[in-house]
Amino acid sequence: MIDLQQAGAGLGGYALLAAQAESLFADERDFIANAAQFSALLFNELPDLNWAGFYLNRNEELVLGPFQGQVACVRIPFSKGVCGAAARTRETQRVEDVHAFPGHIACDSASNSELVVPLVKDGRLIGVLDLDSPKVGRFSEDDQAGIERLADIFLRLSDC
C-alpha cells in the first residue's frame, strides 16, 4: 500500500500510482480487463477504502461493473445517490458524509464518505469511478485531483 503522506503529502503518492497505471494499461486496451485491474490497484493501494469500482452507463442508468469490495447495488438511476449525481452533472462528487447527502443510496452501510468521478470520453458518459470509505471526510482535494488524473489515464489507454 502506498503511504500517500510519506510519498509527498498526497499528490506524490498519486504520481506513483499514475506511473503504475500507465504501466498496467500499456499492453492492454480492453475496457473490462483494465477496469478490473484499475479497481484492484486502487482498492489495494489506497488506504481507508471499503469499495472501489465502476458503474457503467446503460441507457441513462448506471449498471454495476468491475469492482473490489462488498457486494453492491446493481442499478443506480441518474436521479439517485452520489453516483447518479456524478453521472447526471458530469462533475466529480466528493462527499465528506454520505448520510447527509440528499438521496444517498446505502449499498454498504459501512460507507461514510465517497468520491465519484464521471468517466467521459469523446463527449460520451461511459460511467463513473466510485470510491467509498468507512472514514468520514476521507477524500481531500488532493485525492480528488489524483483520482481524476488516474481516471484520465484509464480512459486514454482503454477502448471504450
Side-chain angles (χ1 to χ4, degrees), residues 64-103:
L64 184 64
F67 72 94
Q68 297 281 309
Q70 298 292 324
V71 295
C73 298
V74 175
R75 294 181 181 272
I76 299 175
F78 282 18
S79 61
K80 301 237 189 249
V82 180
C83 289
R88 186 176 62 255
T89 64
R90 294 186 180 198
E91 294 178 0
T92 297
Q93 303 291 308
R94 183 167 42 93
V95 180
E96 288 193 21
D97 181 356
V98 296
H99 306 291
F101 189 88

Side-chain angles (χ1 to χ4, degrees), residues 30-42:
D30 184 83
F31 179 86
I32 296 297
N34 284 349
Q37 292 281 55
F38 193 29
S39 298
L41 176 70
L42 295 174

